[in-house]
Amino acid sequence: MLSVSLDLMKKACMEKAGLKTMSCSIEKLNAETNFPQIFRLKSNGQEYKLYIYSEEVEALSTILSYALFSNSGEMLCMAKTEFHSPDNPFAEAPYSHLIPETSSCALCKKKLSGECEGR
């Protein structure tokens, strides 16, 4: 069982993929407690699959490695995110995205700002 709340996980991965999180539901697809754990997210009539590959639990945070895919199988993002414990006195936000990470070309900040032509 994940130590991070599903709502927080959902918000972080949707944000990382550049998607709106309004009225997004999440449900677990497999009964496995080991990894990968697979979830279905539904938002604005679209479905996504979230694969959580690993969880590193520490005293003041938990790091999850995951990928989010569209219904057609396109990877929207792959990331590692550190979810901070409420007891962490240094945490300024509930989570922070770590590097290395990848996202689809269409969502890349360089592509969106016009610095890259996507090649």
Side-chain angles (χ1 to χ4, degrees):
M1 191 65 184
L2 291 174
S3 60
V4 174
S5 85
L6 290 182
D7 283 336
L8 194 56
M9 181 66 227
K10 173 180 67 177
K11 184 176 179 186
C13 74
M14 295 292 276
E15 172 191 289
K16 188 67 192 148
L19 302 169
K20 302 273 186 229
T21 57
M22 272 190 192
S23 68
C24 181
S25 65
I26 185 168
E27 69 176 285
K28 191 165 171 69
L29 291 180
N30 60 351
E32 300 290 322
T33 55
N34 52 346
F35 296 98
Q37 292 188 18
I38 305 168
F39 297 85
R40 178 184 306 137
L41 281 72
K42 293 181 183 178
S43 176
N44 300 328
Q46 300 290 321
E47 286 192 16
Y48 307 94
K49 281 195 180 168
L50 170 64
Y51 289 78
I52 300 177
Y53 298 112
S54 67
E55 177 182 43
E56 301 167 38
V57 179
E58 299 183 4
L60 295 176
S61 67
T62 298
I63 297 173
L64 294 180
S65 176
Y66 59 91
L68 184 67
F69 295 88
S70 70
N71 202 25
S72 64
E74 176 190 5
M75 184 177 67
L76 300 174
C77 74
M78 184 185 322
K80 270 191 168 184
T81 300
E82 181 175 20
F83 295 87
H84 305 289
S85 164
D87 300 331
N88 187 337
F90 305 108
E92 296 177 8
Y95 58 84
S96 56
H97 298 296
L98 305 175
I99 300 202
E101 60 193 28
T102 59
S103 55
S104 71
C105 185
L107 297 172
C108 175
K109 289 179 184 173
K110 288 185 178 184
K111 171 87 174 186
L112 293 173
S113 69
E115 295 176 47
C116 175
E117 294 178 16
R119 296 179 196 178

